[in-house]
Amino acid sequence: MISRSTTHDFYLGRGPDAEWIGSIHLGTCACSSVEKIGLARSADEFADLVNSFLHAAEVGQVGEVTHRGHPWPWLWPTSHGTDYTHAFDRGTVWTARRGQRWSMRAGEYIPPGLGETPVVFPHGRDTCGYTGIDAADTVGRRYGPLLGETHRHDLHQLGLRILADLTLPSPGPAPAQLVELRAQLPPHLRYVINAHETTAELEIEVFGYRDGDPAADATAQALTALPALYGWTDPNGAPPRFGTRVLLADDERHLTHPALADRHTRAVLTTT
């Protein structure tokens, strides 16, 4: 059952020549129709189930629907940025999450193995709305699992979101990747993030360690994973969404940094 806001794309076939037949930004309602689509046993049945599902969602106002033949609905250029992609191919329905791999076949988990079908999608650059740094220049880009709705954020907004994710209780079940990251960060740590718009960089200063603390390097290493979680990576070397630089506050900064004079303050964002 779907219990949170998710995005879905639907295709006939897999690969660059697959036929896109619709998309939906599904609201927080529980909806079993997505699971029913996975039971299709022919391309025609799959297309009919998708069409019925999209029309029902549109009438019931439970999601933002885009039918085939209309412009690509997302700000990201391919289905690599969509939460769930469903495709009918070789007599069954396959599902990929955020373009990572085709891991589900008709509801059955398929473990990684040799000979997997590459996750390649038709390109939507001509109609996608994203206008950031070379954002749609490659179908090879991989989008981070925590990108989610932050694809609309500028660097300042993104810095605030990251600080909240690192320091505040989650309002609901947190994504596994965020839980894993927070497990690597001791709860007593405090942060200052400087958002450098001109260089697309978040400079993260960490308070809570003393000089020579062996745990500090592990924390710094964990925080360098933020661009891969909230942005994208490109094997062809195109610019990332943002970069990070992690600094560990020295003993003097612990005493004199005015932004964290109040011991109850866990995090501060500044911009330059």
Side-chain angles (χ1 to χ4, degrees), residues 197-255:
E197 296 279 359
T198 56
T199 58
E201 181 182 63
L202 293 179
E203 180 185 88
I204 306 171
E205 190 169 12
V206 182
F207 291 73
Y209 291 112
R210 297 302 179 184
D211 290 344
D213 192 324
D217 288 341
T219 292
Q221 182 63 36
L223 291 173
T224 60
L226 290 171
L229 296 176
Y230 290 87
W232 51 73
T233 55
D234 189 332
N236 294 321
R241 183 187 190 191
F242 68 99
T244 57
R245 186 152 52 102
V246 181
L247 307 175
L248 299 175
D250 59 23
D251 289 341
E252 182 179 353
R253 291 282 281 171
H254 278 272
L255 300 174

Side-chain angles (χ1 to χ4, degrees), residues 50 97 161 181 185 226:
V50 169
R97 175 156 171 74
R161 171 60 181 268
L181 174 62
L185 305 174
L226 290 171

Side-chain angles (χ1 to χ4, degrees), residues 172-195:
Q177 295 87 352
L178 179 57
V179 172
E180 181 180 351
L181 174 62
R182 292 180 65 150
Q184 301 176 64
L185 305 174
H188 71 277
L189 295 180
R190 302 193 293 167
Y191 307 89
V192 171
I193 288 187
N194 295 300

